[in-house]
PDB file of all heavy atoms in Angstrom:
ATOM      1  N   GLY A  41     -13.982 -29.330  11.526  1.00 34.00           N
ATOM      2  CA  GLY A  41     -14.432 -30.225  10.658  1.00 34.00           C
ATOM      3  C   GLY A  41     -13.531 -30.455   9.379  1.00 34.00           C
ATOM      4  O   GLY A  41     -12.370 -30.641   9.546  1.00 34.00           O
ATOM      5  N   GLU A  42     -14.151 -30.369   8.189  1.00 35.00           N
ATOM      6  CA  GLU A  42     -13.403 -30.598   6.935  1.00 35.00           C
ATOM      7  C   GLU A  42     -13.344 -29.359   6.165  1.00 35.00           C
ATOM      8  O   GLU A  42     -14.102 -29.077   5.288  1.00 35.00           O
ATOM      9  CB  GLU A  42     -14.174 -31.682   6.082  1.00 35.00           C
ATOM     10  CG  GLU A  42     -14.240 -33.042   6.758  1.00 35.00           C
ATOM     11  CD  GLU A  42     -12.853 -33.696   6.921  1.00 35.00           C
ATOM     12  OE1 GLU A  42     -11.980 -33.352   6.070  1.00 35.00           O
ATOM     13  OE2 GLU A  42     -12.689 -34.500   7.851  1.00 35.00           O
ATOM     14  N   PRO A  43     -12.301 -28.476   6.558  1.00 39.00           N
ATOM     15  CA  PRO A  43     -12.310 -27.174   6.038  1.00 39.00           C
ATOM     16  C   PRO A  43     -11.687 -27.248   4.512  1.00 39.00           C
ATOM     17  O   PRO A  43     -10.958 -28.141   4.116  1.00 39.00           O
ATOM     18  CB  PRO A  43     -11.306 -26.459   6.814  1.00 39.00           C
ATOM     19  CG  PRO A  43     -10.548 -27.463   7.633  1.00 39.00           C
ATOM     20  CD  PRO A  43     -11.413 -28.639   7.634  1.00 39.00           C
ATOM     21  N   THR A  44     -12.184 -26.301   3.659  1.00 38.00           N
ATOM     22  CA  THR A  44     -11.622 -26.101   2.320  1.00 38.00           C
ATOM     23  C   THR A  44     -10.306 -25.342   2.358  1.00 38.00           C
ATOM     24  O   THR A  44     -10.003 -24.759   3.317  1.00 38.00           O
ATOM     25  CB  THR A  44     -12.645 -25.412   1.336  1.00 38.00           C
ATOM     26  OG1 THR A  44     -12.793 -24.132   1.927  1.00 38.00           O
ATOM     27  CG2 THR A  44     -13.963 -26.217   1.411  1.00 38.00           C
ATOM     28  N   ALA A  45      -9.701 -25.241   1.160  1.00 39.00           N
ATOM     29  CA  ALA A  45      -8.430 -24.517   1.096  1.00 39.00           C
ATOM     30  C   ALA A  45      -8.601 -23.023   1.522  1.00 39.00           C
ATOM     31  O   ALA A  45      -7.753 -22.583   2.225  1.00 39.00           O
ATOM     32  CB  ALA A  45      -7.881 -24.561  -0.323  1.00 39.00           C
ATOM     33  N   SER A  46      -9.666 -22.473   1.164  1.00 43.00           N
ATOM     34  CA  SER A  46      -9.808 -21.087   1.463  1.00 43.00           C
ATOM     35  C   SER A  46     -10.219 -20.886   2.961  1.00 43.00           C
ATOM     36  O   SER A  46     -10.092 -19.755   3.525  1.00 43.00           O
ATOM     37  CB  SER A  46     -10.927 -20.333   0.617  1.00 43.00           C
ATOM     38  OG  SER A  46     -12.165 -20.844   0.947  1.00 43.00           O
ATOM     39  N   GLU A  47     -10.731 -21.903   3.618  1.00 45.00           N
ATOM     40  CA  GLU A  47     -11.051 -21.868   5.084  1.00 45.00           C
ATOM     41  C   GLU A  47      -9.793 -22.031   5.890  1.00 45.00           C
ATOM     42  O   GLU A  47      -9.711 -21.576   6.989  1.00 45.00           O
ATOM     43  CB  GLU A  47     -12.076 -22.934   5.402  1.00 45.00           C
ATOM     44  CG  GLU A  47     -13.463 -22.638   4.732  1.00 45.00           C
ATOM     45  CD  GLU A  47     -14.427 -23.783   4.991  1.00 45.00           C
ATOM     46  OE1 GLU A  47     -13.969 -24.917   5.112  1.00 45.00           O
ATOM     47  OE2 GLU A  47     -15.690 -23.480   5.046  1.00 45.00           O
ATOM     48  N   THR A  48      -8.836 -22.849   5.384  1.00 40.00           N
ATOM     49  CA  THR A  48      -7.693 -23.114   6.268  1.00 40.00           C
ATOM     50  C   THR A  48      -6.459 -22.295   5.793  1.00 40.00           C
ATOM     51  O   THR A  48      -5.575 -21.993   6.620  1.00 40.00           O
ATOM     52  CB  THR A  48      -7.265 -24.580   6.028  1.00 40.00           C
ATOM     53  OG1 THR A  48      -6.808 -24.831   4.716  1.00 40.00           O
ATOM     54  CG2 THR A  48      -8.349 -25.426   6.423  1.00 40.00           C
ATOM     55  N   GLY A  49      -6.382 -21.904   4.517  1.00 41.00           N
ATOM     56  CA  GLY A  49      -5.164 -21.245   4.043  1.00 41.00           C
ATOM     57  C   GLY A  49      -3.909 -22.150   4.076  1.00 41.00           C
ATOM     58  O   GLY A  49      -2.820 -21.732   4.231  1.00 41.00           O
ATOM     59  N   ALA A  50      -4.149 -23.520   4.072  1.00 38.00           N
ATOM     60  CA  ALA A  50      -3.058 -24.440   4.135  1.00 38.00           C
ATOM     61  C   ALA A  50      -2.070 -24.282   3.076  1.00 38.00           C
ATOM     62  O   ALA A  50      -2.491 -24.156   1.901  1.00 38.00           O
ATOM     63  CB  ALA A  50      -3.583 -25.850   4.166  1.00 38.00           C
ATOM     64  N   THR A  51      -0.744 -24.193   3.359  1.00 39.00           N
ATOM     65  CA  THR A  51       0.245 -24.059   2.259  1.00 39.00           C
ATOM     66  C   THR A  51       1.176 -25.306   2.360  1.00 39.00           C
ATOM     67  O   THR A  51       2.231 -25.245   1.665  1.00 39.00           O
ATOM     68  CB  THR A  51       1.063 -22.838   2.552  1.00 39.00           C
ATOM     69  OG1 THR A  51       1.669 -22.900   3.798  1.00 39.00           O
ATOM     70  CG2 THR A  51       0.260 -21.541   2.418  1.00 39.00           C
ATOM     71  N   GLY A  52       0.902 -26.298   3.119  1.00 40.00           N
ATOM     72  CA  GLY A  52       1.778 -27.431   3.046  1.00 40.00           C
ATOM     73  C   GLY A  52       2.565 -27.546   4.290  1.00 40.00           C
ATOM     74  O   GLY A  52       2.091 -28.019   5.350  1.00 40.00           O
ATOM     75  N   GLY A  53       3.866 -26.992   4.311  1.00 44.00           N
ATOM     76  CA  GLY A  53       4.693 -27.268   5.395  1.00 44.00           C
ATOM     77  C   GLY A  53       4.539 -26.333   6.573  1.00 44.00           C
ATOM     78  O   GLY A  53       4.866 -26.660   7.695  1.00 44.00           O
ATOM     79  N   THR A  54       3.908 -25.244   6.348  1.00 54.00           N
ATOM     80  CA  THR A  54       3.738 -24.256   7.537  1.00 54.00           C
ATOM     81  C   THR A  54       2.285 -24.274   7.896  1.00 54.00           C
ATOM     82  O   THR A  54       1.395 -24.472   7.171  1.00 54.00           O
ATOM     83  CB  THR A  54       4.132 -22.809   7.093  1.00 54.00           C
ATOM     84  OG1 THR A  54       3.331 -22.409   6.015  1.00 54.00           O
ATOM     85  CG2 THR A  54       5.589 -22.827   6.630  1.00 54.00           C
ATOM     86  N   ALA A  55       2.079 -23.940   9.246  1.00 73.00           N
ATOM     87  CA  ALA A  55       0.745 -23.900   9.801  1.00 73.00           C
ATOM     88  C   ALA A  55       0.146 -22.441   9.710  1.00 73.00           C
ATOM     89  O   ALA A  55       0.390 -21.684  10.619  1.00 73.00           O
ATOM     90  CB  ALA A  55       0.776 -24.414  11.194  1.00 73.00           C
ATOM     91  N   ILE A  56      -0.434 -22.209   8.528  1.00 87.00           N
ATOM     92  CA  ILE A  56      -1.177 -20.842   8.453  1.00 87.00           C
ATOM     93  C   ILE A  56      -2.372 -20.876   9.205  1.00 87.00           C
ATOM     94  O   ILE A  56      -3.163 -21.912   9.293  1.00 87.00           O
ATOM     95  CB  ILE A  56      -1.441 -20.594   6.968  1.00 87.00           C
ATOM     96  CG1 ILE A  56      -0.152 -20.506   6.147  1.00 87.00           C
ATOM     97  CG2 ILE A  56      -2.272 -19.353   6.729  1.00 87.00           C
ATOM     98  CD1 ILE A  56       0.805 -19.428   6.373  1.00 87.00           C
ATOM     99  N   PRO A  57      -2.709 -19.842   9.946  1.00 88.00           N
ATOM    100  CA  PRO A  57      -3.928 -19.836  10.809  1.00 88.00           C
ATOM    101  C   PRO A  57      -5.211 -20.065   9.897  1.00 88.00           C
ATOM    102  O   PRO A  57      -5.283 -19.678   8.745  1.00 88.00           O
ATOM    103  CB  PRO A  57      -3.987 -18.359  11.269  1.00 88.00           C
ATOM    104  CG  PRO A  57      -2.554 -18.015  11.318  1.00 88.00           C
ATOM    105  CD  PRO A  57      -1.927 -18.604  10.158  1.00 88.00           C
ATOM    106  N   ALA A  58      -6.169 -20.729  10.474  1.00 95.00           N
ATOM    107  CA  ALA A  58      -7.492 -20.969   9.704  1.00 95.00           C
ATOM    108  C   ALA A  58      -8.124 -19.598   9.447  1.00 95.00           C
ATOM    109  O   ALA A  58      -8.081 -18.742  10.197  1.00 95.00           O
ATOM    110  CB  ALA A  58      -8.356 -21.774  10.523  1.00 95.00           C
ATOM    111  N   PHE A  59      -8.727 -19.498   8.227  1.00 97.00           N
ATOM    112  CA  PHE A  59      -9.339 -18.315   7.893  1.00 97.00           C
ATOM    113  C   PHE A  59     -10.529 -18.525   6.948  1.00 97.00           C
ATOM    114  O   PHE A  59     -10.639 -19.574   6.367  1.00 97.00           O
ATOM    115  CB  PHE A  59      -8.426 -17.328   7.274  1.00 97.00           C
ATOM    116  CG  PHE A  59      -7.788 -17.718   5.960  1.00 97.00           C
ATOM    117  CD1 PHE A  59      -8.350 -17.420   4.770  1.00 97.00           C
ATOM    118  CD2 PHE A  59      -6.722 -18.554   5.929  1.00 97.00           C
ATOM    119  CE1 PHE A  59      -7.940 -17.836   3.547  1.00 97.00           C
ATOM    120  CE2 PHE A  59      -6.148 -19.012   4.737  1.00 97.00           C
ATOM    121  CZ  PHE A  59      -6.797 -18.622   3.529  1.00 97.00           C
ATOM    122  N   THR A  60     -11.394 -17.501   6.651  1.00 97.00           N
ATOM    123  CA  THR A  60     -12.381 -17.558   5.662  1.00 97.00           C
ATOM    124  C   THR A  60     -12.227 -16.358   4.760  1.00 97.00           C
ATOM    125  O   THR A  60     -11.755 -15.349   5.144  1.00 97.00           O
ATOM    126  CB  THR A  60     -13.789 -17.634   6.252  1.00 97.00           C
ATOM    127  OG1 THR A  60     -13.896 -16.415   7.148  1.00 97.00           O
ATOM    128  CG2 THR A  60     -14.002 -18.817   7.244  1.00 97.00           C
ATOM    129  N   THR A  61     -12.751 -16.618   3.566  1.00 98.00           N
ATOM    130  CA  THR A  61     -12.929 -15.464   2.573  1.00 98.00           C
ATOM    131  C   THR A  61     -14.293 -15.393   2.159  1.00 98.00           C
ATOM    132  O   THR A  61     -15.125 -16.271   2.305  1.00 98.00           O
ATOM    133  CB  THR A  61     -12.043 -15.650   1.354  1.00 98.00           C
ATOM    134  OG1 THR A  61     -12.251 -16.952   0.829  1.00 98.00           O
ATOM    135  CG2 THR A  61     -10.542 -15.603   1.768  1.00 98.00           C
ATOM    136  N   LEU A  62     -14.746 -14.301   1.524  1.00 98.00           N
ATOM    137  CA  LEU A  62     -16.156 -14.091   1.078  1.00 98.00           C
ATOM    138  C   LEU A  62     -16.590 -15.179   0.131  1.00 98.00           C
ATOM    139  O   LEU A  62     -17.753 -15.585   0.137  1.00 98.00           O
ATOM    140  CB  LEU A  62     -16.346 -12.685   0.609  1.00 98.00           C
ATOM    141  CG  LEU A  62     -16.198 -11.552   1.526  1.00 98.00           C
ATOM    142  CD1 LEU A  62     -16.261 -10.155   0.869  1.00 98.00           C
ATOM    143  CD2 LEU A  62     -17.330 -11.577   2.560  1.00 98.00           C
ATOM    144  N   GLN A  63     -15.642 -15.548  -0.743  1.00 98.00           N
ATOM    145  CA  GLN A  63     -15.966 -16.455  -1.784  1.00 98.00           C
ATOM    146  C   GLN A  63     -14.815 -17.631  -1.635  1.00 98.00           C
ATOM    147  O   GLN A  63     -13.699 -17.360  -1.760  1.00 98.00           O
ATOM    148  CB  GLN A  63     -15.970 -15.901  -3.205  1.00 98.00           C
ATOM    149  CG  GLN A  63     -16.242 -16.913  -4.333  1.00 98.00           C
ATOM    150  CD  GLN A  63     -16.244 -16.284  -5.622  1.00 98.00           C
ATOM    151  OE1 GLN A  63     -16.285 -15.032  -5.770  1.00 98.00           O
ATOM    152  NE2 GLN A  63     -16.081 -17.089  -6.724  1.00 98.00           N
ATOM    153  N   GLU A  64     -15.292 -18.871  -1.538  1.00 97.00           N
ATOM    154  CA  GLU A  64     -14.312 -19.934  -1.358  1.00 97.00           C
ATOM    155  C   GLU A  64     -13.229 -20.014  -2.401  1.00 97.00           C
ATOM    156  O   GLU A  64     -13.621 -19.881  -3.641  1.00 97.00           O
ATOM    157  CB  GLU A  64     -15.064 -21.235  -1.334  1.00 97.00           C
ATOM    158  CG  GLU A  64     -14.121 -22.411  -1.073  1.00 97.00           C
ATOM    159  CD  GLU A  64     -14.970 -23.813  -1.015  1.00 97.00           C
ATOM    160  OE1 GLU A  64     -16.147 -23.728  -0.678  1.00 97.00           O
ATOM    161  OE2 GLU A  64     -14.365 -24.786  -1.291  1.00 97.00           O
ATOM    162  N   GLY A  65     -11.966 -20.002  -2.020  1.00 97.00           N
ATOM    163  CA  GLY A  65     -10.878 -20.081  -2.949  1.00 97.00           C
ATOM    164  C   GLY A  65     -10.426 -18.822  -3.592  1.00 97.00           C
ATOM    165  O   GLY A  65      -9.587 -18.801  -4.532  1.00 97.00           O
ATOM    166  N   VAL A  66     -11.138 -17.724  -3.279  1.00 98.00           N
ATOM    167  CA  VAL A  66     -10.887 -16.447  -3.881  1.00 98.00           C
ATOM    168  C   VAL A  66     -10.660 -15.386  -2.906  1.00 98.00           C
ATOM    169  O   VAL A  66     -11.351 -15.226  -1.832  1.00 98.00           O
ATOM    170  CB  VAL A  66     -12.113 -15.960  -4.764  1.00 98.00           C
ATOM    171  CG1 VAL A  66     -11.878 -14.642  -5.396  1.00 98.00           C
ATOM    172  CG2 VAL A  66     -12.459 -17.012  -5.913  1.00 98.00           C
ATOM    173  N   LEU A  67      -9.681 -14.482  -3.070  1.00 98.00           N
ATOM    174  CA  LEU A  67      -9.381 -13.274  -2.236  1.00 98.00           C
ATOM    175  C   LEU A  67      -9.704 -12.123  -3.047  1.00 98.00           C
ATOM    176  O   LEU A  67      -9.115 -11.691  -4.007  1.00 98.00           O
ATOM    177  CB  LEU A  67      -7.784 -13.220  -1.984  1.00 98.00           C
ATOM    178  CG  LEU A  67      -7.476 -12.112  -0.933  1.00 98.00           C
ATOM    179  CD1 LEU A  67      -8.046 -12.329   0.363  1.00 98.00           C
ATOM    180  CD2 LEU A  67      -6.006 -12.039  -0.965  1.00 98.00           C
ATOM    181  N   GLN A  68     -10.788 -11.456  -2.657  1.00 98.00           N
ATOM    182  CA  GLN A  68     -11.345 -10.300  -3.298  1.00 98.00           C
ATOM    183  C   GLN A  68     -10.625  -9.002  -2.689  1.00 98.00           C
ATOM    184  O   GLN A  68     -10.762  -8.731  -1.519  1.00 98.00           O
ATOM    185  CB  GLN A  68     -12.865 -10.114  -3.179  1.00 98.00           C
ATOM    186  CG  GLN A  68     -13.590 -11.292  -3.855  1.00 98.00           C
ATOM    187  CD  GLN A  68     -15.101 -11.134  -3.636  1.00 98.00           C
ATOM    188  OE1 GLN A  68     -15.615 -10.420  -2.793  1.00 98.00           O
ATOM    189  NE2 GLN A  68     -15.833 -11.967  -4.465  1.00 98.00           N
ATOM    190  N   VAL A  69      -9.873  -8.333  -3.539  1.00 98.00           N
ATOM    191  CA  VAL A  69      -9.050  -7.269  -3.141  1.00 98.00           C
ATOM    192  C   VAL A  69      -9.415  -5.920  -3.797  1.00 98.00           C
ATOM    193  O   VAL A  69      -9.463  -5.850  -4.965  1.00 98.00           O
ATOM    194  CB  VAL A  69      -7.482  -7.580  -3.438  1.00 98.00           C
ATOM    195  CG1 VAL A  69      -6.646  -6.511  -2.764  1.00 98.00           C
ATOM    196  CG2 VAL A  69      -7.180  -8.907  -2.883  1.00 98.00           C
ATOM    197  N   ALA A  70      -9.722  -4.947  -3.041  1.00 98.00           N
ATOM    198  CA  ALA A  70     -10.067  -3.640  -3.524  1.00 98.00           C
ATOM    199  C   ALA A  70      -8.704  -2.807  -3.778  1.00 98.00           C
ATOM    200  O   ALA A  70      -7.753  -2.770  -3.000  1.00 98.00           O
ATOM    201  CB  ALA A  70     -10.935  -2.868  -2.589  1.00 98.00           C
ATOM    202  N   ASN A  71      -8.740  -2.002  -4.904  1.00 95.00           N
ATOM    203  CA  ASN A  71      -7.662  -1.275  -5.360  1.00 95.00           C
ATOM    204  C   ASN A  71      -8.124  -0.213  -6.284  1.00 95.00           C
ATOM    205  O   ASN A  71      -9.089  -0.359  -7.013  1.00 95.00           O
ATOM    206  CB  ASN A  71      -6.660  -2.237  -6.073  1.00 95.00           C
ATOM    207  CG  ASN A  71      -5.341  -1.667  -6.312  1.00 95.00           C
ATOM    208  OD1 ASN A  71      -5.259  -0.720  -7.077  1.00 95.00           O
ATOM    209  ND2 ASN A  71      -4.352  -2.257  -5.659  1.00 95.00           N
ATOM    210  N   CYS A  72      -7.401   0.977  -6.336  1.00 93.00           N
ATOM    211  CA  CYS A  72      -7.665   2.029  -7.262  1.00 93.00           C
ATOM    212  C   CYS A  72      -7.293   1.745  -8.676  1.00 93.00           C
ATOM    213  O   CYS A  72      -7.852   2.254  -9.680  1.00 93.00           O
ATOM    214  CB  CYS A  72      -7.106   3.375  -6.781  1.00 93.00           C
ATOM    215  SG  CYS A  72      -7.671   3.888  -5.157  1.00 93.00           S
TER     216      CYS A  72
END
Side-chain angles (χ1 to χ4, degrees):
E42 297 293 332
T44 65
S46 69
E47 290 172 331
T48 66
T51 61
T54 62
I56 299 293
F59 66 90
T60 59
T61 55
L62 293 172
Q63 181 180 341
E64 183 178 334
V66 178
L67 183 68
Q68 296 179 345
V69 185
N71 193 295
C72 301

